[in-house]
């Protein structure tokens, strides 16, 4: 048996000849015929009685599959060797490590790319783009470990612990985190991923490896790897704040006095890595994830606007007291299409502390002067964004929430005297778009 071992993934190849299989079969049959069984066990299965005791409490089979349906991606040399394994095991997610090693920004922090041999290349970041393409091409949602390395653009500012809080480095690093998270999220979601997991410098638990030039008899020879993109996992730590050349590190009072600079540098065995709690780099990336999550959550509304065409026309509303409905309408004469966006917006709910139960408002829509013949049937595309539909922000906080993509349903109505009437709809806080297509167009 040959075994290919990788972190968190072990694949074994079994090779048995036909003769071996036959011999095993005969041996099994012979063993069975010569064995005296204990008393029979009766197994009764009720197909209509649910029984789940796993983590989710309602899907033991799903919980079981999750154990093996996520794994580290293989090395680049072996990417294609795992295609069949991915298919056979029904893998859903893969963990990408060390993919952002070359990712960088330009001097403004607004242009993303990668730096190789001191030269910045705007656009995609390699090998991150290759790794994402590999995962998405196999239907796998990415789990991306980020912030393991200092971006090359920031090396000039030294270790993160030495950055001036009011200097250029913190702001530039926040920009870098924003563009990196946006790049990964957009590339993943546009590529068909159901979600993206970010692992922010989680390898802090391994801290630094043993120093270079390690020697039991000559501690003064110890040196750290040079600061930079290919340096330490704990790249933000300032070695000047710690006592070096101690191996193994002094551990006295580490748990109660973790930031004592007289203690040795936090190598791999240093217990100080445990009480550090949330690290500065993790706070920066956490904010970046919140920023991009909010940015992408608004994308469905922008998509809705993008579906509208033509010139704005009047939309008159008559409603009861306390209504928060409003409308924005256009007519596209070239395509004979009417677009009516209706939105329910209550600023006291959005910005205030109103926690009362939301009551949807009924909608009665009338569209006049349509150039369609009486009795003709038109199709209406209806797109909705509310608390339960096309809600990317809610999906981010609860992956079991329904599909966050912009949802469409089709309706049909009959034209009467150049007029279309639509009743029976309702809208809570949210936006609904009606696109009335000409009779000749059926999506």
């Amino acid at each position: 048996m040959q075994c290919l071992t990788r972190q968190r993934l072990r694949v074994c190849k079994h090779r048995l000849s036909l003769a071996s299989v036959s011999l095993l079969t005969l041996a099994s049959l012979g063993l069975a015929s010569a064995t005296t069984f204990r008393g029979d066990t009766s197994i009764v299965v009720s197909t209509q009685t649910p029984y789940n005791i796993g983590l989710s409490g309602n899907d033991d089979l799903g919980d079981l599959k999750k154990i093996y349906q996520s794994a580290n991606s293989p090395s680049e040399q072996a990417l294609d060797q795992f295609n069949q394994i991915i298919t056979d095991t029904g893998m859903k997610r893969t963990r990408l490590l060390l993919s952002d090693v070359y990712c960088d920004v330009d001097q403004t922090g607004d242009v993303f790319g990668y730096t190789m041999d001191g030269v910045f290349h705007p656009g995609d970041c390699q090998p991150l783009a290759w790794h994402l393409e590999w995962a998405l091409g196999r239907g796998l949602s990415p789990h991306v470990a980020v912030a393991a390395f200092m971006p090359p653009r920031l090396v000039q500012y030294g270790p993160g612990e030495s950055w001036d809080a009011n200097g250029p480095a913190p702001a530039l690093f926040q920009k870098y985190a924003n563009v990196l998270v946006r790049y990964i999220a957009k590339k993943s979601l546009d590529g068909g991923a159901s979600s993206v997991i970010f692992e922010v410098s989680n390898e802090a638990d391994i801290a630094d490896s043993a120093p270079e030039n390690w020697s039991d008899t000559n501690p003064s020879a110890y040196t750290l790897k040079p600061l930079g993109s290919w340096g330490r996992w704990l790249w933000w730590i300032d070695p000047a704040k710690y006592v070096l050349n101690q191996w193994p590190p002094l551990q006295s009072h580490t748990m109660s006095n973790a930031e004592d600079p007289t203690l040795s540098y936090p190598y791999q065995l240093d217990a100080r890595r445990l009480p550090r709690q949330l690290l500065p780099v993790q706070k920066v990336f956490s904010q970046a994830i919140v920023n991009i999550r909010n940015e992408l959550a608004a994308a469905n509304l922008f998509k809705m606007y993008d579906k509208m065409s033509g010139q704005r026309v009047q939309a008159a509303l008559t409603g009861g007291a306390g209504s928060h409905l409003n409308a924005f309408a256009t007519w596209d004469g070239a395509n004979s299409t009417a677009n009516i966006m209706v939105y329910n917006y209550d600023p006291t709910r959005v910005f205030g502390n109103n926690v009362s139960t939301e009551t949807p408002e009924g909608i009665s829509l009338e569209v006049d002067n349509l150039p369609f013949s009486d009795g003709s049937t038109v199709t209406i595309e209806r797109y909705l964004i509310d608390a339960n539909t096309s809600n990317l922000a809610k999906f981010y906080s609860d992956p079991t929430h329904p599909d966050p993509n912009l949802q469409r349903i089709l309706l049909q109505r009959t034209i009467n005297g150049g007029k279309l009437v639509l009743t029976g709809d309702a809208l809570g806080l949210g936006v609904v778009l009606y696109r009335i297509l000409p009779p000749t167009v059926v999506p």
Side-chain angles (χ1 to χ4, degrees), residues 47 88 264 406 414:
T47 61
D88 293 345
S264 59
L406 188 60
T414 301

Side-chain angles (χ1 to χ4, degrees), residues 92 109 153 175 221 299 361 416 421:
K92 305 295 185 185
R153 184 69 59 183
K175 279 190 168 185
E361 295 188 42
N416 232 326
V421 176

Side-chain angles (χ1 to χ4, degrees), residues 311-393:
Q311 298 295 315
R312 186 176 183 180
V313 295
Q314 185 182 36
L317 285 85
T318 57
S323 173
H324 296 100
L325 293 181
N326 215 320
F328 182 94
T330 67
W331 169 252
D332 184 346
N335 296 299
S336 299
T337 301
N339 307 276
I340 303 94
M341 179 181 287
V342 181
Y343 53 95
N344 185 334
Y345 174 72
D346 181 355
T348 62
R349 284 185 167 278
V350 177
F351 299 106
N353 297 314
N354 190 331
V355 294
S356 60
T357 302
E358 178 183 342
T359 303
E361 295 188 42
I363 298 174
S364 177
L365 176 65
E366 178 182 312
V367 183
D368 299 337
N369 302 314
L370 291 170
F372 308 142
S373 59
D374 280 359
S376 59
T377 299
V378 297
T379 298
I380 305 167
E381 293 182 329
R382 178 184 180 273
Y383 299 88
L384 174 65
I385 303 174
D386 65 8
N388 299 308
T389 311
S390 312
N391 195 318
L392 190 59

Side-chain angles (χ1 to χ4, degrees), residues 1 8 13 27 63 74 83 85 88 112 114 119 129 196 243 253 268 288 296 300 312 320 323 343 349 359 395 406:
M1 179 175 70
R8 297 189 184 177
K13 297 179 180 178
D63 292 343
N83 291 348
I85 293 173
D88 293 345
F112 184 68
Y114 71 98
V119 179
V196 185
V243 177
H253 309 295
Q268 186 170 2
L296 294 179
N300 278 340
R312 186 176 183 180
S323 173
Y343 53 95
R349 284 185 167 278
T359 303
F395 176 79
L406 188 60

Side-chain angles (χ1 to χ4, degrees), residues 239-246 250 261-267 272:
K241 294 183 178 180
Y242 303 90
V243 177
L244 305 182
N245 304 331
Q246 298 180 24
L250 295 178
T262 64
L263 298 177
S264 59
Y265 180 81
Y267 295 116
R272 278 178 296 167

Side-chain angles (χ1 to χ4, degrees), residues 163-282:
W163 289 349
D164 179 358
N166 298 315
L172 184 60
F173 184 60
Q174 183 67 71
K175 279 190 168 185
Y176 166 79
N178 287 345
V179 295
L180 177 61
V181 170
R182 181 186 298 112
Y183 176 84
I184 294 172
K186 283 187 62 62
K187 214 167 186 63
S188 300
L189 296 177
D190 290 347
S194 60
S195 62
V196 185
I197 292 177
F198 289 92
E199 177 183 332
V200 183
S201 205
N202 187 48
E203 296 294 344
D205 62 345
I206 67 171
D208 237 0
S209 55
E212 296 177 339
N213 304 321
W214 180 79
S215 168
D216 279 325
T217 58
N218 186 16
S220 64
Y222 301 168
T223 59
L224 299 176
K225 294 180 179 180
L227 179 66
S229 300
W230 302 271
R232 304 182 299 274
W233 280 91
L234 299 183
W235 55 263
W236 58 87
I237 287 180
D238 184 359
K241 294 183 178 180
Y242 303 90
V243 177
L244 305 182
N245 304 331
Q246 298 180 24
W247 191 260
L250 295 178
Q251 297 296 310
S252 59
H253 309 295
T254 56
M255 300 305 292
S256 61
N257 201 12
E259 301 303 326
D260 184 350
T262 64
L263 298 177
S264 59
Y265 180 81
Y267 295 116
Q268 186 170 2
L269 301 178
D270 193 335
R272 278 178 296 167
R273 69 185 188 273
L274 300 177
R276 285 181 173 273
Q277 300 178 353
L278 194 63
L279 299 164
V281 66
Q282 293 170 327

